Amino acid sequence: MSTPDTESADTESTPGTDRLDADRLDTVAAPVPRNPTDASSDNTAPIRLLTPDGDRLPLAAYDPYIADLTDADLVGLLRDMVIARRLDEESTALQRQGELGLWASLRGQEAAQVGSARALRADDMVFPTYREHAVAWCRGIDPLDVLGLFRGTAHGGWDVDEHGFQTYAIVVGSQVLHATGYAMGVTKETRTGLGRRPVGTAHRPVATTGGTGGTAGSGGTAGDGDGLPATLVYFGDGASSQGDVNEAFNWAGVFEAPVVFFCQNNHWAISEPTRRQTRVPIYFRARGFGITGIRVDGNDVLATLAVTRWALRQARQGRPALVEAVTYRMGAHTTADDPSRYRQASELARWGALDPIQRMAAYLRGRGLLDDDAASALDREADALAATMRQRCLNLPDPAPLSLFDHVYAHDTEELVDARATFADFTETGSTETDFTEAGLPETGSTEAEQGEPAYRNEPSHRGEPSYWNEQAHRNEPSRPAGTAQRAERPGGPPAAVRTGATVRAAVVRPASTVAVTAARGVRKAL
């Protein structure tokens, strides 16, 4: 990419400051190639340390960031991914069986999540979307707490300070602004000494599940123990089009917030491909906001770990970074989605050959760190954890209705107390003195006496007539353009629908399953 013209009139408007910013833009915010010292290398090729076959690719610029990993750490990275996938499969099955309201699968993105999560320090903070289940696992969150969100029994009750992991964000892109504001607060607290507690005292307990146990994020030769606590925020390629996300980039760049923006480019924003989001690689956007941009193979857990460590180190020095992890969403967007309607099976097969778990397993087998017995033991451990999680999920108690009003604010407001009392009266007696119906809501500028009875209350209703639901379809009616269906002629009746059968019945419609849940364990084996 060409460098900007630093001699333009704009750079001379404020001597000593704008010129410094221009120099910083050239040296810091330029997209980072595979080898930062080689300006001739291909900027768009993602950084990769493992081939799809599991062969190690040396890369001098990033090898030091994983040089401290022990054999146990390497096996632990694989273990994290295998367990994350198995728990994800079980959660999908729970939803298909009616035990969860929804589930957003992470299948295919295990390396992007585990590699980035294991790069973190204990005092760092994570802002997730609704798909970072593997990150939650790495930060010590009980999987049952995550399932509670999708079962409707909780709103996310873990201690964010203890785990350094915020609650899931459903509103697309909203968490990116939140993360930037949090990171700016970290900087301010450090400089002013303000705040309820010293910055960086958030503590994640030592993992009791073995594997990396957080040791992969200790910094090692990367020198990650220095600098501010960093903030890592996740979002997808679709969210990159949100105004909130781009505003966050700008705020972070201007205020040098210690934040890393981690975009999991899984190629699909629900049913829209990435090419509908941007004409250039997403990480190229960083330059326009004066922050560092870098692209990594998101199916390579070692490269993701190394690049995220590098980006976190930059952020701790007041240089926010945008990491684009190129990966693929192997499953549906959520269990309410049918990806077969908008993507080809050949595309799925092509990315299936780049599976992140198989890649890491092949690398470990080549180093003599994994054999069939160890792989089988890992699968058995993952199966046992999934079975335990399933039973615990089924045993989750339904929350008391009045708990809906708990923890809404730090202190109850008068309105909240009144609402709780009204709802309590309704649940106990089945009625309240308050009319919540449409008729009970007065129009602006008029009294209830002036309004009188709503007109529709005086209209005859035909909903109770058997013939209404059983009348014959009018097969010879002229066709209408889509969206021009008219209301039924009967007053009080629902809109007329296009009837395709002789009889219209009220029925429960259940969508067909889009994810096959197979009992054949041999098909699912990760290794």
Side-chain angles (χ1 to χ4, degrees):
M1 295 184 64
S2 60
T3 57
D5 179 10
T6 57
E7 299 300 327
S8 64
D10 291 340
T11 61
E12 300 296 329
S13 58
T14 307
T17 57
D18 287 347
R19 179 65 202 185
L20 177 62
D21 287 344
D23 291 341
R24 182 178 182 276
L25 180 65
D26 290 340
T27 59
V28 176
V32 180
R34 290 171 58 86
N35 185 345
T37 63
D38 182 6
S40 64
S41 60
D42 181 8
N43 282 8
T44 62
I47 293 167
R48 177 179 294 169
L49 298 180
L50 289 178
T51 70
D53 295 328
D55 296 329
R56 179 71 163 85
L57 298 174
L59 195 58
Y62 294 96
D63 287 344
Y65 289 91
I66 58 172
D68 63 310
L69 297 182
T70 65
D71 290 348
D73 290 334
L74 294 172
V75 174
L77 292 172
L78 176 66
R79 177 179 177 275
D80 286 335
M81 292 192 290
V82 170
I83 289 176
R85 176 171 295 185
R86 182 65 187 92
L87 297 183
D88 180 72
E89 290 174 347
E90 196 66 33
S91 300
T92 299
L94 283 166
Q95 194 283 328
R96 294 304 186 197
Q97 295 159 7
E99 301 298 341
L100 301 180
L102 190 74
W103 184 252
S105 175
L106 61 74
R107 188 179 183 89
Q109 300 177 217
E110 294 89 354
Q113 294 192 17
V114 170
S116 57
R118 288 306 187 187
L120 292 161
R121 290 190 331 211
D123 60 345
D124 294 333
M125 183 62 73
V126 173
F127 284 77
T129 68
Y130 44 77
R131 201 185 303 275
E132 276 66 57
H133 317 312
V135 182
W137 165 264
C138 292
R139 297 299 276 178
I141 301 294
D142 187 339
L144 190 68
D145 289 338
V146 175
L147 289 186
L149 297 172
F150 294 91
R151 190 172 170 86
T153 61
H155 294 159
W158 54 78
D159 188 329
V160 298
D161 280 335
E162 178 184 0
H163 297 283
F165 189 85
Q166 295 283 335
T167 55
Y168 277 23
I170 302 299
V171 179
V172 176
S174 62
Q175 75 282 0
V176 185
L177 269 178
H178 302 161
T180 301
Y182 180 92
M184 291 169 60
V186 168
T187 301
K188 185 173 182 179
E189 286 187 355
T190 301
R191 292 175 178 173
T192 64
L194 299 177
R196 293 177 299 171
R197 57 179 174 77
V199 171
T201 58
H203 174 67
R204 178 166 56 90
V206 177
T208 59
T209 53
T212 56
T215 57
S218 60
T221 58
D224 201 36
D226 302 326
L228 296 170
T231 301
L232 182 64
V233 57
Y234 293 88
F235 60 100
D237 48 295
S240 68
S241 295
Q242 294 289 329
D244 284 358
V245 174
N246 290 272
E247 291 171 14
F249 292 166
N250 194 52
W251 279 83
V254 170
F255 290 95
E256 300 181 330
V259 58
V260 172
F261 302 101
F262 195 91
C263 175
Q264 293 179 85
N265 179 0
N266 64 18
H267 285 75
W268 290 96
I270 307 182
S271 59
E272 291 297 318
T274 303
R275 67 178 181 274
R276 298 285 181 87
Q277 305 291 336
T278 178
R279 294 292 299 273
V280 299
I282 292 173
Y283 81 105
F284 271 20
R285 297 184 183 182
R287 185 178 182 86
F289 295 100
I291 64 179
T292 304
I294 189 168
R295 201 180 208 196
V296 64
D297 184 345
N299 282 13
D300 179 350
V301 68
L302 292 184
T304 303
L305 174 61
V307 166
T308 308
R309 279 182 166 184
W310 175 88
L312 288 168
R313 187 181 186 187
Q314 297 292 310
R316 299 186 202 286
Q317 299 168 4
R319 297 177 174 178
L322 168 61
V323 175
E324 179 188 1
V326 182
T327 181
Y328 193 78
R329 192 195 76 209
M330 295 297 294
H333 173 71
T334 69
T335 47
D337 173 42
D338 180 3
S340 67
R341 300 182 63 181
Y342 53 81
R343 68 184 186 188
Q344 301 297 319
S346 58
E347 178 181 318
L348 195 65
R350 185 169 65 254
W351 278 93
L354 304 176
D355 184 86
I357 294 180
Q358 296 293 345
R359 184 185 302 197
M360 187 61 176
Y363 171 66
L364 295 179
R365 286 180 182 274
R367 290 194 53 171
L369 300 178
L370 183 72
D371 56 21
D372 291 343
D373 290 340
S376 297
L378 182 52
D379 273 330
R380 289 193 300 272
E381 180 190 9
D383 287 343
L385 287 170
T388 300
M389 181 189 73
R390 162 180 281 274
Q391 191 57 52
R392 294 177 66 206
C393 177
L394 298 179
N395 292 337
L396 279 173
D398 291 335
L402 284 179
S403 66
L404 178 68
F405 299 92
D406 295 342
H407 312 300
V408 177
Y409 301 109
H411 303 286
D412 286 355
T413 65
E414 182 178 349
E415 293 80 5
L416 185 64
V417 171
D418 290 343
R420 181 189 287 112
T422 300
F423 188 70
D425 181 59
F426 176 79
T427 56
E428 291 175 5
T429 65
S431 64
T432 71
E433 296 180 358
T434 304
D435 186 358
F436 291 108
T437 65
E438 182 180 345
L441 300 177
E443 295 183 3
T444 303
S446 63
T447 65
E448 293 184 10
E450 293 172 341
Q451 292 182 65
E453 286 291 318
Y456 68 81
R457 283 196 174 182
N458 298 319
E459 296 178 353
S461 174
H462 298 267
R463 294 178 185 272
E465 297 180 5
S467 61
Y468 181 83
W469 299 109
N470 298 314
E471 69 173 333
Q472 297 294 317
H474 300 286
R475 300 178 182 275
N476 296 324
E477 287 184 351
S479 61
R480 304 187 185 97
T484 61
Q486 300 176 357
R487 287 191 174 273
E489 295 179 359
R490 294 187 179 89
V498 178
R499 300 181 176 92
T500 57
T503 303
V504 179
R505 298 179 180 177
V508 177
V509 179
R510 300 186 183 279
S513 174
T514 59
V515 177
V517 180
T518 176
R521 299 296 300 140
V523 177
R524 189 215 54 80
K525 292 298 184 185
L527 306 179

